[in-house]
Amino acid sequence: ICRKESLTMPYNFSFPYPVVDPGKWTVNQSGETELKFSHRIHFQGWAYSYEKKLSLRDNELHIAHSLENTGEKPLYSWAYSHNLFQIKNRTVGPGYSFRLPFQIGANDFANNCVGNPAQVLLPDCSQPASSPVNNFTFSRKLVETDVLYCDFTAALTAQQGALHGASSHRFSVSDKNYGGMSKEGTEKVESYHFYATDSVLAVEPFMRIAIQP
């Protein structure tokens, strides 16, 4: 629980609000292949119990999240994952790729983007006549001053009908030389953001939380 110094000021995501109640954290390990984090908190009728379990199965890392409303009031919020990806300190560039569960075209790069990613990604989506695709790589190595970002909410919303809910929660990021990461979730994704610098590549799914007591 954090404290806002002024009720008239809008919430600022990046402001370091003072923490007045950190809740209760516990960590439990089961052998060498499973670790569980738990967090519980209660404040003026709002309360939840959150668990995150990490488990190794062969060469796969499985992450399971559970959020229970244990209070008297509904919980409304957003949840998202950074999924910052890098292998062996390799600079992001040719060889790195990412795949989305929906198509992206030139119009999707025209708005809500930073750093002109359409001019760096392949296939080239900077031309209006280019065909929408869902699998991208990089035309060059990114440098220290590169910051690429896009909000693909509009593209996902337009294609949600064909994705059938939870099928929207499926994407992958990879380096062709060393492997990659695939993620599948059980909950519907409302938005995807793309982010890349010379050191990390990220596909970030956003999910809406609405849990009744």
Side-chain angles (χ1 to χ4, degrees):
I1 304 298
C2 297
R3 183 178 67 247
K4 287 182 64 177
E5 301 296 340
S6 172
L7 296 179
T8 60
M9 294 294 292
Y11 174 72
N12 184 341
F13 176 80
S14 61
F15 183 80
Y17 294 99
V19 176
V20 296
D21 185 354
K24 181 181 181 181
W25 282 97
T26 57
V27 180
N28 294 293
Q29 183 172 347
S30 300
E32 297 181 349
T33 60
E34 187 173 293
L35 191 64
K36 183 169 69 176
F37 301 87
S38 300
H39 184 236
R40 292 171 175 79
I41 200 163
H42 191 285
F43 178 76
Q44 296 184 358
W46 288 280
Y48 66 77
S49 174
Y50 168 71
E51 290 187 351
K52 177 180 181 179
K53 184 170 72 173
L54 293 83
S55 56
L56 289 173
R57 306 175 192 173
D58 298 324
N59 66 337
E60 296 181 341
L61 173 63
H62 291 250
I63 304 176
H65 303 270
S66 173
L67 180 63
E68 178 185 1
N69 186 347
T70 57
E72 299 82 42
K73 298 180 180 180
L75 297 176
Y76 299 111
S77 187
W78 286 87
Y80 75 100
S81 301
H82 275 306
N83 299 313
L84 301 177
F85 178 80
Q86 184 197 63
I87 290 186
K88 294 183 178 293
N89 294 319
R90 283 170 46 83
T91 300
V92 174
Y96 277 83
S97 64
F98 65 96
R99 179 183 292 272
L100 299 169
F102 54 96
Q103 304 289 312
I104 299 295
N107 290 338
D108 301 307
F109 287 102
N111 300 301
N112 298 320
C113 288
V114 174
N116 294 319
Q119 298 181 5
V120 180
L121 296 173
L122 292 174
D124 183 3
C125 287
S126 62
Q127 303 302 318
S130 59
S131 299
V133 295
N134 70 335
N135 191 31
F136 296 89
T137 185
F138 292 80
S139 62
R140 63 169 175 82
K141 282 189 175 183
L142 301 189
V143 297
E144 187 175 351
T145 55
D146 282 322
V147 177
L148 308 181
Y149 167 83
C150 266
D151 178 348
F152 292 136
T153 303
L156 175 61
T157 301
Q159 300 172 57
Q160 275 284 20
L163 293 174
H164 306 294
S167 64
S168 64
H169 201 158
R170 183 181 299 122
F171 65 91
S172 62
V173 182
S174 64
D175 179 328
K176 69 177 183 181
N177 297 301
Y178 294 101
M181 171 190 75
S182 296
K183 181 177 179 180
E184 295 186 16
T186 59
E187 302 301 317
K188 176 183 176 181
V189 173
E190 300 274 352
S191 173
Y192 274 98
H193 292 191
F194 156 77
Y195 173 78
T197 67
D198 63 328
S199 59
V200 294
L201 167 60
V203 175
E204 304 176 341
F206 283 68
M207 291 158 288
R208 192 185 302 273
I209 293 176
I211 309 175
Q212 298 300 317

